Amino acid sequence: MSRIARRFATLRAQGRGALIPYVEACDPDYDTSLAILRGMPAAGADLIEVGVPFSDPSADGPTIQKAALRGLKGGASMKRVLEMVRAFREGDDGTPIILMGYTNPIEAYGPERFCMDAKAAGVDGLIVVDMPPEEADLLAAPAAANGLDIIRLVAPTTPDARLPIVFNGASGFVYYVSITGVTGTRTASTDELAAALPRLRRATDLPIAIGFGIRTPERAANAVSVADAAVVASALLNTLEGTLDADGKATAKTVPAVLEQLRGLADAVHAVSKTASK
Amino acid sequence: MSATETQAGANSLRSGPDGRGRFGIFGGRFVAETLMPLLLELDAAYKAAQADPEFQRELDFYLKDYVGRPSPLWLARRMTEQLGGAKIYMKREELNHTGSHKLNNVMGQILLARRMGRTRIVAETGAGQHGVATATVCALFGMKCAIYMGATDVERQKPNVFRMRLLGAEVVPVTAGAGTLKDAMNEAMRDWVTNVHDTYFLVGTVAGPHPYPQMVRDFQAVIGVETKEQIMAAEGRLPDAIVAAIGGGSNAMGIFHPFLDDPEVKLIGVEAAGCGLDSGRTAASIERGRPGVLHGNRTYLLQDEDGQITEAHSISAGLDYPGVGPEHSWLSDIGRADYVGATDQEALDAFQLCTRTEGIIPALESAHAIAYAAKLAPTMGKDQIIVVNISGRGDKDIFTVAEHLGVKL
């Protein structure tokens, strides 16, 4: 059983939903992002998404775009991202780590070598934003060979007839992109979410995480009241950005501010009892 | 006249892409899941339109009476004499309405968007030629229009920005990155993914996710189809070489495609070498890039070792793009077309050569093709023939050229 499956099984047994925060590697520098990553489990993270910076994040809104550019400026490369995960794993063997990024840096690294090195570093799953099922063969074999989960995105535009195609080859969990749009913009309403989830549940037994536009503890709690997990990215990155000095460098406030906000989100998520909704 | 090419046979180089939108290893559909169902819908709608004679009739009507096709094939006598070699013909795409080849594709796609019931159009633009063409058809059909344009390009292509606004389009300057075509493309994709319910993304070049490279090529192939007929009428034979400028590569793909199965015709794509192929300030994706994935397709890209896309550079805003259409990448790999570079300076020289010998002010994009043709012609015999695609007119570029010539306007 993969670390991701184990974590969701434990949460299910406890009747809890999961909070999945996002940290952009090397934003604004390696040490700061590693400190945030290391602090996340104690602040309530159940799983963690680590963003792999890319120069052209065309599915992301302004907040993640800026974080990616800060990450690149801060020295991010695929090698550095994997180093960061390895450093995290030295102190945490339980919290699943999912890398989120775009195809080209993986292709440049070499898909097979990437999957081997990612697994060795302690990565558990991959979300490749611009790799729909139609292009998934690039990673399918090496990911499977190395026991990495491929987390598939599913969108409001995905018709029912397409769901089996999307979920074929998916593992770990399913990421529901709750709005048509880029990250960190509009928020889906509770009604929209409540309407969307049953059609996904009919098509998959995998846990479902909701992401895009979840900015507050209330929204995060709403999300886990219908789904299994809530992903929060832009809201945390906005907080991080707000603590940087005029040159874009981290300050003494950076790590505590992000973790403090994470604690508030986690408390709200963990206050939702999941036993009734299943 | 018909824009439709004759059916390609099994061994034809014109039968691509395959069912996955691939030309060899290039192409594909690397987009977020939100867009994937839309691409599948677009592909189906395009196939249905292709099979519908009424669609072709409608397109032919607009191409003739609105775009002004066919465009002439002009024998450039004075330039030929001055260069002292092969006979140079110019395919006069700059005479199309809006002043470039861009309207061929835009006309096809706007008719498709209307068939699909879309009411709002988004597009990216570099030099502004595609933006102007798109704004034009949106005015013609009364559709809402948003054009994304890099802030740097907004600055260096002011006349086109004003044209687009006059035509009723909203021009959105994009400040991300270097503020050029790549960044405009990212932002147009973000708009599309946000407004999928009513918006059609009108891609201006033979790049992007399938079916765009194929569709844009098909709509631009009218250039090559006409060229073939015209050169046969004028010379009774096919040309020895066809030369066209490459940014994304739509004018080149349009004139190349009908000739892919004629091996005696050399096809030459001229990339923008910028300050020189090895200067680090270039837009020559095929010559100095590696295959990678950007903007929905796998193709040659300017990128660093880690797969981060690097900024392109060219004097010409329309060529200032770190990628290229996937079919060109494939044609380069299989050796059917040759890709070469022309520098900013060579393009400026060719701009003046064409203006003074032929009385035709070419776009700086097209000047790259002229620059290479001017090198090639003297090495060929006087009985040989080169066709150069004059993809656009240069009125938009006079400010840039004046600046480089040290003239204040």
Side-chain angles (χ1 to χ4, degrees), chain B residues 348-372:
Chain B
L348 279 166
D349 294 345
F351 179 95
Q352 294 171 83
L353 171 73
C354 184
T355 303
R356 291 196 182 165
T357 57
E358 295 302 323
I360 294 170
I361 302 180
L364 274 174
E365 290 77 21
S366 320
H368 286 74
I370 299 166
Y372 190 75

mmCIF file with all atom_site columns, all heavy atoms in Angstrom, chain B residues 348-372:
data_model
loop_
_atom_site.group_PDB
_atom_site.id
_atom_site.type_symbol
_atom_site.label_atom_id
_atom_site.label_alt_id
_atom_site.label_comp_id
_atom_site.label_asym_id
_atom_site.label_entity_id
_atom_site.label_seq_id
_atom_site.pdbx_PDB_ins_code
_atom_site.Cartn_x
_atom_site.Cartn_y
_atom_site.Cartn_z
_atom_site.occupancy
_atom_site.B_iso_or_equiv
_atom_site.pdbx_formal_charge
_atom_site.auth_seq_id
_atom_site.auth_comp_id
_atom_site.auth_asym_id
_atom_site.auth_atom_id
_atom_site.pdbx_PDB_model_num
ATOM 1   N N   . LEU B 1 348 ? 16.831 43.567 -41.882 1.00 0.00 ? 348 LEU B N   1
ATOM 2   C CA  . LEU B 1 348 ? 16.740 45.008 -42.160 1.00 0.00 ? 348 LEU B CA  1
ATOM 3   C C   . LEU B 1 348 ? 17.262 45.328 -43.564 1.00 0.00 ? 348 LEU B C   1
ATOM 4   O O   . LEU B 1 348 ? 16.666 46.121 -44.298 1.00 0.00 ? 348 LEU B O   1
ATOM 5   C CB  . LEU B 1 348 ? 17.565 45.794 -41.124 1.00 0.00 ? 348 LEU B CB  1
ATOM 6   C CG  . LEU B 1 348 ? 16.892 46.045 -39.780 1.00 0.00 ? 348 LEU B CG  1
ATOM 7   C CD1 . LEU B 1 348 ? 17.924 46.512 -38.757 1.00 0.00 ? 348 LEU B CD1 1
ATOM 8   C CD2 . LEU B 1 348 ? 15.771 47.077 -39.915 1.00 0.00 ? 348 LEU B CD2 1
ATOM 9   N N   . ASP B 1 349 ? 18.370 44.696 -43.935 1.00 0.00 ? 349 ASP B N   1
ATOM 10  C CA  . ASP B 1 349 ? 18.922 44.915 -45.276 1.00 0.00 ? 349 ASP B CA  1
ATOM 11  C C   . ASP B 1 349 ? 17.942 44.438 -46.341 1.00 0.00 ? 349 ASP B C   1
ATOM 12  O O   . ASP B 1 349 ? 17.732 45.121 -47.353 1.00 0.00 ? 349 ASP B O   1
ATOM 13  C CB  . ASP B 1 349 ? 20.263 44.170 -45.426 1.00 0.00 ? 349 ASP B CB  1
ATOM 14  C CG  . ASP B 1 349 ? 21.350 44.750 -44.510 1.00 0.00 ? 349 ASP B CG  1
ATOM 15  O OD1 . ASP B 1 349 ? 21.148 45.872 -43.990 1.00 0.00 ? 349 ASP B OD1 1
ATOM 16  O OD2 . ASP B 1 349 ? 22.379 44.070 -44.308 1.00 0.00 ? 349 ASP B OD2 1
ATOM 17  N N   . ALA B 1 350 ? 17.353 43.265 -46.112 1.00 0.00 ? 350 ALA B N   1
ATOM 18  C CA  . ALA B 1 350 ? 16.419 42.709 -47.094 1.00 0.00 ? 350 ALA B CA  1
ATOM 19  C C   . ALA B 1 350 ? 15.153 43.557 -47.190 1.00 0.00 ? 350 ALA B C   1
ATOM 20  O O   . ALA B 1 350 ? 14.563 43.705 -48.267 1.00 0.00 ? 350 ALA B O   1
ATOM 21  C CB  . ALA B 1 350 ? 16.071 41.274 -46.717 1.00 0.00 ? 350 ALA B CB  1
ATOM 22  N N   . PHE B 1 351 ? 14.738 44.100 -46.060 1.00 0.00 ? 351 PHE B N   1
ATOM 23  C CA  . PHE B 1 351 ? 13.578 45.003 -46.020 1.00 0.00 ? 351 PHE B CA  1
ATOM 24  C C   . PHE B 1 351 ? 13.804 46.155 -47.008 1.00 0.00 ? 351 PHE B C   1
ATOM 25  O O   . PHE B 1 351 ? 12.937 46.501 -47.811 1.00 0.00 ? 351 PHE B O   1
ATOM 26  C CB  . PHE B 1 351 ? 13.444 45.521 -44.579 1.00 0.00 ? 351 PHE B CB  1
ATOM 27  C CG  . PHE B 1 351 ? 12.309 46.493 -44.339 1.00 0.00 ? 351 PHE B CG  1
ATOM 28  C CD1 . PHE B 1 351 ? 11.078 46.046 -43.875 1.00 0.00 ? 351 PHE B CD1 1
ATOM 29  C CD2 . PHE B 1 351 ? 12.483 47.857 -44.529 1.00 0.00 ? 351 PHE B CD2 1
ATOM 30  C CE1 . PHE B 1 351 ? 10.051 46.933 -43.616 1.00 0.00 ? 351 PHE B CE1 1
ATOM 31  C CE2 . PHE B 1 351 ? 11.452 48.754 -44.271 1.00 0.00 ? 351 PHE B CE2 1
ATOM 32  C CZ  . PHE B 1 351 ? 10.228 48.289 -43.812 1.00 0.00 ? 351 PHE B CZ  1
ATOM 33  N N   . GLN B 1 352 ? 15.017 46.707 -46.972 1.00 0.00 ? 352 GLN B N   1
ATOM 34  C CA  . GLN B 1 352 ? 15.318 47.840 -47.858 1.00 0.00 ? 352 GLN B CA  1
ATOM 35  C C   . GLN B 1 352 ? 15.507 47.397 -49.300 1.00 0.00 ? 352 GLN B C   1
ATOM 36  O O   . GLN B 1 352 ? 15.080 48.082 -50.229 1.00 0.00 ? 352 GLN B O   1
ATOM 37  C CB  . GLN B 1 352 ? 16.571 48.555 -47.346 1.00 0.00 ? 352 GLN B CB  1
ATOM 38  C CG  . GLN B 1 352 ? 16.301 49.204 -45.991 1.00 0.00 ? 352 GLN B CG  1
ATOM 39  C CD  . GLN B 1 352 ? 17.570 49.736 -45.353 1.00 0.00 ? 352 GLN B CD  1
ATOM 40  O OE1 . GLN B 1 352 ? 18.007 50.836 -45.658 1.00 0.00 ? 352 GLN B OE1 1
ATOM 41  N NE2 . GLN B 1 352 ? 18.175 48.926 -44.507 1.00 0.00 ? 352 GLN B NE2 1
ATOM 42  N N   . LEU B 1 353 ? 16.130 46.250 -49.490 1.00 0.00 ? 353 LEU B N   1
ATOM 43  C CA  . LEU B 1 353 ? 16.322 45.720 -50.839 1.00 0.00 ? 353 LEU B CA  1
ATOM 44  C C   . LEU B 1 353 ? 14.977 45.535 -51.540 1.00 0.00 ? 353 LEU B C   1
ATOM 45  O O   . LEU B 1 353 ? 14.783 45.974 -52.684 1.00 0.00 ? 353 LEU B O   1
ATOM 46  C CB  . LEU B 1 353 ? 17.065 44.370 -50.759 1.00 0.00 ? 353 LEU B CB  1
ATOM 47  C CG  . LEU B 1 353 ? 17.163 43.582 -52.070 1.00 0.00 ? 353 LEU B CG  1
ATOM 48  C CD1 . LEU B 1 353 ? 18.166 44.239 -53.020 1.00 0.00 ? 353 LEU B CD1 1
ATOM 49  C CD2 . LEU B 1 353 ? 17.581 42.124 -51.808 1.00 0.00 ? 353 LEU B CD2 1
ATOM 50  N N   . CYS B 1 354 ? 14.046 44.912 -50.839 1.00 0.00 ? 354 CYS B N   1
ATOM 51  C CA  . CYS B 1 354 ? 12.733 44.625 -51.427 1.00 0.00 ? 354 CYS B CA  1
ATOM 52  C C   . CYS B 1 354 ? 11.984 45.922 -51.719 1.00 0.00 ? 354 CYS B C   1
ATOM 53  O O   . CYS B 1 354 ? 11.378 46.093 -52.783 1.00 0.00 ? 354 CYS B O   1
ATOM 54  C CB  . CYS B 1 354 ? 11.933 43.746 -50.475 1.00 0.00 ? 354 CYS B CB  1
ATOM 55  S SG  . CYS B 1 354 ? 10.337 43.220 -51.108 1.00 0.00 ? 354 CYS B SG  1
ATOM 56  N N   . THR B 1 355 ? 12.084 46.845 -50.775 1.00 0.00 ? 355 THR B N   1
ATOM 57  C CA  . THR B 1 355 ? 11.380 48.115 -50.934 1.00 0.00 ? 355 THR B CA  1
ATOM 58  C C   . THR B 1 355 ? 11.897 48.873 -52.161 1.00 0.00 ? 355 THR B C   1
ATOM 59  O O   . THR B 1 355 ? 11.125 49.372 -52.969 1.00 0.00 ? 355 THR B O   1
ATOM 60  C CB  . THR B 1 355 ? 11.563 48.965 -49.659 1.00 0.00 ? 355 THR B CB  1
ATOM 61  O OG1 . THR B 1 355 ? 11.075 48.205 -48.549 1.00 0.00 ? 355 THR B OG1 1
ATOM 62  C CG2 . THR B 1 355 ? 10.805 50.263 -49.737 1.00 0.00 ? 355 THR B CG2 1
ATOM 63  N N   . ARG B 1 356 ? 13.224 48.895 -52.318 1.00 0.00 ? 356 ARG B N   1
ATOM 64  C CA  . ARG B 1 356 ? 13.809 49.714 -53.386 1.00 0.00 ? 356 ARG B CA  1
ATOM 65  C C   . ARG B 1 356 ? 13.788 49.041 -54.751 1.00 0.00 ? 356 ARG B C   1
ATOM 66  O O   . ARG B 1 356 ? 13.737 49.731 -55.759 1.00 0.00 ? 356 ARG B O   1
ATOM 67  C CB  . ARG B 1 356 ? 15.238 50.076 -53.015 1.00 0.00 ? 356 ARG B CB  1
ATOM 68  C CG  . ARG B 1 356 ? 15.218 51.051 -51.850 1.00 0.00 ? 356 ARG B CG  1
ATOM 69  C CD  . ARG B 1 356 ? 16.526 51.737 -51.661 1.00 0.00 ? 356 ARG B CD  1
ATOM 70  N NE  . ARG B 1 356 ? 16.431 52.616 -50.493 1.00 0.00 ? 356 ARG B NE  1
ATOM 71  C CZ  . ARG B 1 356 ? 17.469 53.130 -49.892 1.00 0.00 ? 356 ARG B CZ  1
ATOM 72  N NH1 . ARG B 1 356 ? 18.683 52.865 -50.338 1.00 0.00 ? 356 ARG B NH1 1
ATOM 73  N NH2 . ARG B 1 356 ? 17.308 53.916 -48.847 1.00 0.00 ? 356 ARG B NH2 1
ATOM 74  N N   . THR B 1 357 ? 13.862 47.714 -54.776 1.00 0.00 ? 357 THR B N   1
ATOM 75  C CA  . THR B 1 357 ? 13.886 47.078 -56.103 1.00 0.00 ? 357 THR B CA  1
ATOM 76  C C   . THR B 1 357 ? 12.490 46.712 -56.595 1.00 0.00 ? 357 THR B C   1
ATOM 77  O O   . THR B 1 357 ? 12.261 46.669 -57.801 1.00 0.00 ? 357 THR B O   1
ATOM 78  C CB  . THR B 1 357 ? 14.738 45.784 -56.105 1.00 0.00 ? 357 THR B CB  1
ATOM 79  O OG1 . THR B 1 357 ? 14.228 44.895 -55.135 1.00 0.00 ? 357 THR B OG1 1
ATOM 80  C CG2 . THR B 1 357 ? 16.204 46.099 -55.822 1.00 0.00 ? 357 THR B CG2 1
ATOM 81  N N   . GLU B 1 358 ? 11.571 46.476 -55.690 1.00 0.00 ? 358 GLU B N   1
ATOM 82  C CA  . GLU B 1 358 ? 10.247 46.015 -56.129 1.00 0.00 ? 358 GLU B CA  1
ATOM 83  C C   . GLU B 1 358 ? 9.127  46.975 -55.759 1.00 0.00 ? 358 GLU B C   1
ATOM 84  O O   . GLU B 1 358 ? 7.977  46.762 -56.157 1.00 0.00 ? 358 GLU B O   1
ATOM 85  C CB  . GLU B 1 358 ? 9.955  44.626 -55.553 1.00 0.00 ? 358 GLU B CB  1
ATOM 86  C CG  . GLU B 1 358 ? 10.885 43.537 -56.069 1.00 0.00 ? 358 GLU B CG  1
ATOM 87  C CD  . GLU B 1 358 ? 10.851 43.386 -57.596 1.00 0.00 ? 358 GLU B CD  1
ATOM 88  O OE1 . GLU B 1 358 ? 9.764  43.528 -58.184 1.00 0.00 ? 358 GLU B OE1 1
ATOM 89  O OE2 . GLU B 1 358 ? 11.922 43.131 -58.185 1.00 0.00 ? 358 GLU B OE2 1
ATOM 90  N N   . GLY B 1 359 ? 9.421  47.987 -54.959 1.00 0.00 ? 359 GLY B N   1
ATOM 91  C CA  . GLY B 1 359 ? 8.343  48.875 -54.539 1.00 0.00 ? 359 GLY B CA  1
ATOM 92  C C   . GLY B 1 359 ? 7.365  48.180 -53.612 1.00 0.00 ? 359 GLY B C   1
ATOM 93  O O   . GLY B 1 359 ? 6.185  48.520 -53.545 1.00 0.00 ? 359 GLY B O   1
ATOM 94  N N   . ILE B 1 360 ? 7.859  47.174 -52.919 1.00 0.00 ? 360 ILE B N   1
ATOM 95  C CA  . ILE B 1 360 ? 7.010  46.437 -51.965 1.00 0.00 ? 360 ILE B CA  1
ATOM 96  C C   . ILE B 1 360 ? 7.675  46.542 -50.597 1.00 0.00 ? 360 ILE B C   1
ATOM 97  O O   . ILE B 1 360 ? 8.821  46.106 -50.433 1.00 0.00 ? 360 ILE B O   1
ATOM 98  C CB  . ILE B 1 360 ? 6.891  44.950 -52.367 1.00 0.00 ? 360 ILE B CB  1
ATOM 99  C CG1 . ILE B 1 360 ? 6.142  44.828 -53.699 1.00 0.00 ? 360 ILE B CG1 1
ATOM 100 C CG2 . ILE B 1 360 ? 6.182  44.145 -51.271 1.00 0.00 ? 360 ILE B CG2 1
ATOM 101 C CD1 . ILE B 1 360 ? 6.192  43.421 -54.305 1.00 0.00 ? 360 ILE B CD1 1
ATOM 102 N N   . ILE B 1 361 ? 6.986  47.152 -49.648 1.00 0.00 ? 361 ILE B N   1
ATOM 103 C CA  . ILE B 1 361 ? 7.520  47.236 -48.282 1.00 0.00 ? 361 ILE B CA  1
ATOM 104 C C   . ILE B 1 361 ? 7.060  45.985 -47.538 1.00 0.00 ? 361 ILE B C   1
ATOM 105 O O   . ILE B 1 361 ? 5.878  45.848 -47.216 1.00 0.00 ? 361 ILE B O   1
ATOM 106 C CB  . ILE B 1 361 ? 7.013  48.500 -47.559 1.00 0.00 ? 361 ILE B CB  1
ATOM 107 C CG1 . ILE B 1 361 ? 7.411  49.754 -48.356 1.00 0.00 ? 361 ILE B CG1 1
ATOM 108 C CG2 . ILE B 1 361 ? 7.563  48.562 -46.136 1.00 0.00 ? 361 ILE B CG2 1
ATOM 109 C CD1 . ILE B 1 361 ? 6.957  51.067 -47.723 1.00 0.00 ? 361 ILE B CD1 1
ATOM 110 N N   . PRO B 1 362 ? 7.978  45.055 -47.288 1.00 0.00 ? 362 PRO B N   1
ATOM 111 C CA  . PRO B 1 362 ? 7.563  43.799 -46.665 1.00 0.00 ? 362 PRO B CA  1
ATOM 112 C C   . PRO B 1 362 ? 7.538  43.907 -45.145 1.00 0.00 ? 362 PRO B C   1
ATOM 113 O O   . PRO B 1 362 ? 8.231  44.748 -44.571 1.00 0.00 ? 362 PRO B O   1
ATOM 114 C CB  . PRO B 1 362 ? 8.663  42.824 -47.097 1.00 0.00 ? 362 PRO B CB  1
ATOM 115 C CG  . PRO B 1 362 ? 9.890  43.688 -47.127 1.00 0.00 ? 362 PRO B CG  1
ATOM 116 C CD  . PRO B 1 362 ? 9.444  45.084 -47.536 1.00 0.00 ? 362 PRO B CD  1
ATOM 117 N N   . ALA B 1 363 ? 6.785  43.059 -44.507 1.00 0.00 ? 363 ALA B N   1
ATOM 118 C CA  . ALA B 1 363 ? 6.854  42.954 -43.045 1.00 0.00 ? 363 ALA B CA  1
ATOM 119 C C   . ALA B 1 363 ? 8.256  42.499 -42.658 1.00 0.00 ? 363 ALA B C   1
ATOM 120 O O   . ALA B 1 363 ? 8.917  41.791 -43.418 1.00 0.00 ? 363 ALA B O   1
ATOM 121 C CB  . ALA B 1 363 ? 5.831  41.948 -42.544 1.00 0.00 ? 363 ALA B CB  1
ATOM 122 N N   . LEU B 1 364 ? 8.706  42.880 -41.470 1.00 0.00 ? 364 LEU B N   1
ATOM 123 C CA  . LEU B 1 364 ? 10.022 42.430 -41.021 1.00 0.00 ? 364 LEU B CA  1
ATOM 124 C C   . LEU B 1 364 ? 10.089 40.905 -40.949 1.00 0.00 ? 364 LEU B C   1
ATOM 125 O O   . LEU B 1 364 ? 11.142 40.311 -41.158 1.00 0.00 ? 364 LEU B O   1
ATOM 126 C CB  . LEU B 1 364 ? 10.360 43.026 -39.651 1.00 0.00 ? 364 LEU B CB  1
ATOM 127 C CG  . LEU B 1 364 ? 10.996 44.420 -39.675 1.00 0.00 ? 364 LEU B CG  1
ATOM 128 C CD1 . LEU B 1 364 ? 11.151 44.957 -38.267 1.00 0.00 ? 364 LEU B CD1 1
ATOM 129 C CD2 . LEU B 1 364 ? 12.344 44.402 -40.402 1.00 0.00 ? 364 LEU B CD2 1
ATOM 130 N N   . GLU B 1 365 ? 8.932  40.275 -40.656 1.00 0.00 ? 365 GLU B N   1
ATOM 131 C CA  . GLU B 1 365 ? 8.893  38.811 -40.648 1.00 0.00 ? 365 GLU B CA  1
ATOM 132 C C   . GLU B 1 365 ? 9.292  38.304 -42.036 1.00 0.00 ? 365 GLU B C   1
ATOM 133 O O   . GLU B 1 365 ? 10.218 37.511 -42.194 1.00 0.00 ? 365 GLU B O   1
ATOM 134 C CB  . GLU B 1 365 ? 7.482  38.306 -40.292 1.00 0.00 ? 365 GLU B CB  1
ATOM 135 C CG  . GLU B 1 365 ? 7.065  38.550 -38.844 1.00 0.00 ? 365 GLU B CG  1
ATOM 136 C CD  . GLU B 1 365 ? 6.646  39.988 -38.549 1.00 0.00 ? 365 GLU B CD  1
ATOM 137 O OE1 . GLU B 1 365 ? 6.282  40.714 -39.500 1.00 0.00 ? 365 GLU B OE1 1
ATOM 138 O OE2 . GLU B 1 365 ? 6.695  40.403 -37.371 1.00 0.00 ? 365 GLU B OE2 1
ATOM 139 N N   . SER B 1 366 ? 8.575  38.795 -43.060 1.00 0.00 ? 366 SER B N   1
ATOM 140 C CA  . SER B 1 366 ? 8.828  38.340 -44.431 1.00 0.00 ? 366 SER B CA  1
ATOM 141 C C   . SER B 1 366 ? 10.231 38.710 -44.885 1.00 0.00 ? 366 SER B C   1
ATOM 142 O O   . SER B 1 366 ? 10.825 38.013 -45.720 1.00 0.00 ? 366 SER B O   1
ATOM 143 C CB  . SER B 1 366 ? 7.810  38.971 -45.379 1.00 0.00 ? 366 SER B CB  1
ATOM 144 O OG  . SER B 1 366 ? 6.528  39.000 -44.797 1.00 0.00 ? 366 SER B OG  1
ATOM 145 N N   . ALA B 1 367 ? 10.773 39.810 -44.355 1.00 0.00 ? 367 ALA B N   1
ATOM 146 C CA  . ALA B 1 367 ? 12.115 40.240 -44.734 1.00 0.00 ? 367 ALA B CA  1
ATOM 147 C C   . ALA B 1 367 ? 13.156 39.173 -44.391 1.00 0.00 ? 367 ALA B C   1
ATOM 148 O O   . ALA B 1 367 ? 14.196 39.089 -45.046 1.00 0.00 ? 367 ALA B O   1
ATOM 149 C CB  . ALA B 1 367 ? 12.459 41.569 -44.059 1.00 0.00 ? 367 ALA B CB  1
ATOM 150 N N   . HIS B 1 368 ? 12.884 38.349 -43.382 1.00 0.00 ? 368 HIS B N   1
ATOM 151 C CA  . HIS B 1 368 ? 13.803 37.251 -43.068 1.00 0.00 ? 368 HIS B CA  1
ATOM 152 C C   . HIS B 1 368 ? 13.852 36.255 -44.228 1.00 0.00 ? 368 HIS B C   1
ATOM 153 O O   . HIS B 1 368 ? 14.912 35.722 -44.560 1.00 0.00 ? 368 HIS B O   1
ATOM 154 C CB  . HIS B 1 368 ? 13.383 36.537 -41.775 1.00 0.00 ? 368 HIS B CB  1
ATOM 155 C CG  . HIS B 1 368 ? 13.675 37.319 -40.535 1.00 0.00 ? 368 HIS B CG  1
ATOM 156 N ND1 . HIS B 1 368 ? 12.933 38.409 -40.158 1.00 0.00 ? 368 HIS B ND1 1
ATOM 157 C CD2 . HIS B 1 368 ? 14.645 37.185 -39.588 1.00 0.00 ? 368 HIS B CD2 1
ATOM 158 C CE1 . HIS B 1 368 ? 13.423 38.898 -39.022 1.00 0.00 ? 368 HIS B CE1 1
ATOM 159 N NE2 . HIS B 1 368 ? 14.463 38.173 -38.661 1.00 0.00 ? 368 HIS B NE2 1
ATOM 160 N N   . ALA B 1 369 ? 12.703 35.982 -44.824 1.00 0.00 ? 369 ALA B N   1
ATOM 161 C CA  . ALA B 1 369 ? 12.664 35.056 -45.964 1.00 0.00 ? 369 ALA B CA  1
ATOM 162 C C   . ALA B 1 369 ? 13.383 35.680 -47.153 1.00 0.00 ? 369 ALA B C   1
ATOM 163 O O   . ALA B 1 369 ? 14.154 35.010 -47.852 1.00 0.00 ? 369 ALA B O   1
ATOM 164 C CB  . ALA B 1 369 ? 11.218 34.721 -46.316 1.00 0.00 ? 369 ALA B CB  1
ATOM 165 N N   . ILE B 1 370 ? 13.145 36.963 -47.377 1.00 0.00 ? 370 ILE B N   1
ATOM 166 C CA  . ILE B 1 370 ? 13.804 37.662 -48.493 1.00 0.00 ? 370 ILE B CA  1
ATOM 167 C C   . ILE B 1 370 ? 15.319 37.637 -48.289 1.00 0.00 ? 370 ILE B C   1
ATOM 168 O O   . ILE B 1 370 ? 16.087 37.429 -49.237 1.00 0.00 ? 370 ILE B O   1
ATOM 169 C CB  . ILE B 1 370 ? 13.293 39.115 -48.594 1.00 0.00 ? 370 ILE B CB  1
ATOM 170 C CG1 . ILE B 1 370 ? 11.775 39.115 -48.857 1.00 0.00 ? 370 ILE B CG1 1
ATOM 171 C CG2 . ILE B 1 370 ? 14.024 39.879 -49.697 1.00 0.00 ? 370 ILE B CG2 1
ATOM 172 C CD1 . ILE B 1 370 ? 11.109 40.466 -48.638 1.00 0.00 ? 370 ILE B CD1 1
ATOM 173 N N   . ALA B 1 371 ? 15.745 37.834 -47.046 1.00 0.00 ? 371 ALA B N   1
ATOM 174 C CA  . ALA B 1 371 ? 17.180 37.850 -46.753 1.00 0.00 ? 371 ALA B CA  1
ATOM 175 C C   . ALA B 1 371 ? 17.828 36.541 -47.180 1.00 0.00 ? 371 ALA B C   1
ATOM 176 O O   . ALA B 1 371 ? 18.895 36.533 -47.799 1.00 0.00 ? 371 ALA B O   1
ATOM 177 C CB  . ALA B 1 371 ? 17.407 38.086 -45.258 1.00 0.00 ? 371 ALA B CB  1
ATOM 178 N N   . TYR B 1 372 ? 17.181 35.434 -46.871 1.00 0.00 ? 372 TYR B N   1
ATOM 179 C CA  . TYR B 1 372 ? 17.791 34.153 -47.251 1.00 0.00 ? 372 TYR B CA  1
ATOM 180 C C   . TYR B 1 372 ? 17.708 33.929 -48.755 1.00 0.00 ? 372 TYR B C   1
ATOM 181 O O   . TYR B 1 372 ? 18.658 33.444 -49.376 1.00 0.00 ? 372 TYR B O   1
ATOM 182 C CB  . TYR B 1 372 ? 17.168 32.971 -46.496 1.00 0.00 ? 372 TYR B CB  1
ATOM 183 C CG  . TYR B 1 372 ? 17.978 31.722 -46.734 1.00 0.00 ? 372 TYR B CG  1
ATOM 184 C CD1 . TYR B 1 372 ? 19.208 31.547 -46.093 1.00 0.00 ? 372 TYR B CD1 1
ATOM 185 C CD2 . TYR B 1 372 ? 17.580 30.767 -47.674 1.00 0.00 ? 372 TYR B CD2 1
ATOM 186 C CE1 . TYR B 1 372 ? 20.007 30.441 -46.362 1.00 0.00 ? 372 TYR B CE1 1
ATOM 187 C CE2 . TYR B 1 372 ? 18.378 29.658 -47.947 1.00 0.00 ? 372 TYR B CE2 1
ATOM 188 C CZ  . TYR B 1 372 ? 19.587 29.506 -47.279 1.00 0.00 ? 372 TYR B CZ  1
ATOM 189 O OH  . TYR B 1 372 ? 20.378 28.421 -47.551 1.00 0.00 ? 372 TYR B OH  1
#
